[in-house]
Amino acid sequence: MRKVFQADLQQIGEELIQMSQLVASAMERAFESFRNADIELAQEVIAEDAKIDFLQTQLDERAIDVLALQGPVASDLRMIVGSLRMSASLERMGDLARHVAQLARLRFPQQVVPASVAPIFAEMAELDIAIAQKLGMLLDTRDLAIAREIIELNAKINKLHASIFKVVASADWDQSAPTTADVTLTSRYLERFGDHGVSVARKVSYLVTGEWEPVSEAF
Amino acid sequence: MRKVFQADLQQIGEELIQMSQLVASAMERAFESFRNADIELAQEVIAEDAKIDFLQTQLDERAIDVLALQGPVASDLRMIVGSLRMSASLERMGDLARHVAQLARLRFPQQVVPASVAPIFAEMAELDIAIAQKLGMLLDTRDLAIAREIIELNAKINKLHASIFKVVASADWDQSAPTTADVTLTSRYLERFGDHGVSVARKVSYLVTGEWEPVSEAF
């Protein structure tokens, strides 16, 4: 029984890593479709979000089976419950990547955002992708230095998110209202993606140390 | 043992109802602070979000204890796991109410949104509050007619959310870019609140029927 159980835990861990990788790739491709007004790529990302949703369902069913059949306690139980939380955050990150692709599709053949703010979003997306990639490594190695890196990357995203509102409020912002709305939503999606990444990183830290990591980012 | 277990399940159910009520009240007060540019009320809502977070932590710890000590299976297990999901959605609804209050605080003593769109937001907030109140009733009675009502209320929110983007894109929209950004975020917060309410309602339906309710809303 014990051996089966460890195999289940390992399987769940691997599925979380796989979800992180899919989510990293989803954001990478979503932002590429957004940056290049590439509607075909956008459609692909939108369609492929179902894979991430499916993985979540599969992982959650496995976790519930383990709870029912193995009755885990203590740290194993927290790991299973934590996995349910992490899979929910990762699924949500997939949704946010999809939202970015949906904006690209909505505005095609136009660009969603003007050239003046494109570099800020490119930087945010790059940080988001790095966060999702590092989540895979963190889940694999349990090296908490990676959790701290994720928190730092997210702090940078928060600063860039705030800078978008400064740009929008500045005197030289001469974009249309729908573009302002799109810029606001894009910034919000990219910011939320990072936040969910931090949730996962903090959950891993908690599972490893038994304590919530102090979150050093300034909110 | 069995009796203790039922008491635990009942306690978890009551805490979910309590969270729904707090969340309904949070959105009611948040929107009042938003509508009246009432910074004191906004501050209260922001501070009181910690209560909702605390309730979630308490509920989750209780659920994990039940999993560890009672080893529930079948529908009891799904109820406990479902509670963890519902508490997460309710906590997030509390965050979104707080975000509305934070916008009120940020723009004080100004109104966040112009008079032209205020009635749309008032309607969205009213629907959100109704959803949160109905969640309490649904959790209490398990009457699935209430779940369907919640889904219908949310469909109305989605329409109002879409209408905001039409207003912003119309020729007579003459508001500043920061106001356009605030209008976009407000609409997004109010829309997400309803979505989370639907997640909870669908989870209750699933726990009662064993099947996911077909979601009849148009996206």
Side-chain angles (χ1 to χ4, degrees), chain A residues 60-102:
Chain A
D60 289 1
E61 286 304 315
R62 192 186 309 280
I64 290 170
D65 281 351
V66 170
L67 290 171
L69 301 173
Q70 320 270 359
V73 294
S75 65
D76 288 339
L77 173 58
R78 293 206 173 251
M79 161 68 196
I80 301 286
V81 172
S83 300
L84 291 168
R85 295 262 170 71
M86 291 190 271
S87 75
S89 293
L90 289 165
E91 187 272 331
R92 192 70 203 130
M93 290 166 85
D95 286 348
L96 291 162
R98 175 167 51 80
H99 289 343
V100 170
Q102 283 168 321

Side-chain angles (χ1 to χ4, degrees), chain B residues 71-85:
Chain B
V73 294
S75 65
D76 288 340
L77 173 59
R78 292 207 173 250
M79 162 67 197
I80 301 287
V81 171
S83 300
L84 291 168
R85 295 262 169 71

Side-chain angles (χ1 to χ4, degrees), chain A residues 60-61 64 67-68 73 77-78 81 84-85 92 99 165 168-169 173 177-178 180-181 184-185 188-189 192, chain B residues 60-61 64 67-68 73 77-78 81 84-85 92 99 165 168-169 173 177-178 180-181 184-185 188-189 192:
Chain A
D60 289 1
E61 286 304 315
I64 290 170
L67 290 171
V73 294
L77 173 58
R78 293 206 173 251
V81 172
L84 291 168
R85 295 262 170 71
R92 192 70 203 130
H99 289 343
F165 291 97
V168 163
W173 182 257
T180 303
T184 304
L185 284 179
R188 175 82 183 152
Y189 298 151
R192 289 295 301 151
Chain B
D60 288 2
E61 287 302 317
I64 290 170
L67 289 172
V73 294
L77 173 59
R78 292 207 173 250
V81 171
L84 291 168
R85 295 262 169 71
R92 191 70 203 128
H99 289 342
F165 292 98
V168 163
W173 182 257
T180 302
T184 304
L185 285 178
R188 175 83 183 151
Y189 297 151
R192 289 296 301 149

Side-chain angles (χ1 to χ4, degrees), chain A residues 35-74:
Chain A
R35 189 205 313 249
N36 303 330
D38 180 342
I39 194 164
E40 280 173 33
L41 185 57
Q43 297 277 31
E44 274 177 43
V45 174
I46 293 163
E48 284 170 11
D49 186 41
K51 269 193 211 166
I52 297 171
D53 297 352
F54 175 76
L55 255 182
Q56 187 205 4
T57 306
Q58 198 181 41
L59 188 155
D60 289 1
E61 286 304 315
R62 192 186 309 280
I64 290 170
D65 281 351
V66 170
L67 290 171
L69 301 173
Q70 320 270 359
V73 294

Side-chain angles (χ1 to χ4, degrees), chain B residues 3-63:
Chain B
K3 211 166 165 188
V4 176
F5 181 35
Q6 287 309 322
D8 280 326
L9 281 186
Q10 180 148 5
Q11 182 70 33
I12 288 172
E14 278 166 21
E15 282 169 350
L16 285 172
I17 295 170
Q18 205 188 335
M19 281 187 82
S20 305
Q21 289 164 344
L22 278 181
V23 157
S25 160
M27 183 50 93
E28 193 167 7
R29 289 152 56 79
F31 195 75
E32 200 184 321
S33 77
F34 180 97
R35 190 206 309 251
N36 302 330
D38 180 342
I39 195 164
E40 281 174 32
L41 186 57
Q43 297 276 32
E44 273 177 44
V45 174
I46 294 163
E48 284 169 13
D49 186 41
K51 269 193 210 165
I52 297 171
D53 297 351
F54 175 76
L55 254 182
Q56 188 206 2
T57 306
Q58 198 181 40
L59 188 155
D60 288 2
E61 287 302 317
R62 191 185 310 280

Side-chain angles (χ1 to χ4, degrees), chain B residues 1 25 42 60 72 75 78 106 110 128 136 145 150 157 175 190 218:
Chain B
M1 198 63 142
S25 160
D60 288 2
S75 65
R78 292 207 173 250
L106 180 68
Q110 256 81 55
D128 275 333
I150 288 172
I157 294 177
Q175 299 293 324
L190 295 175

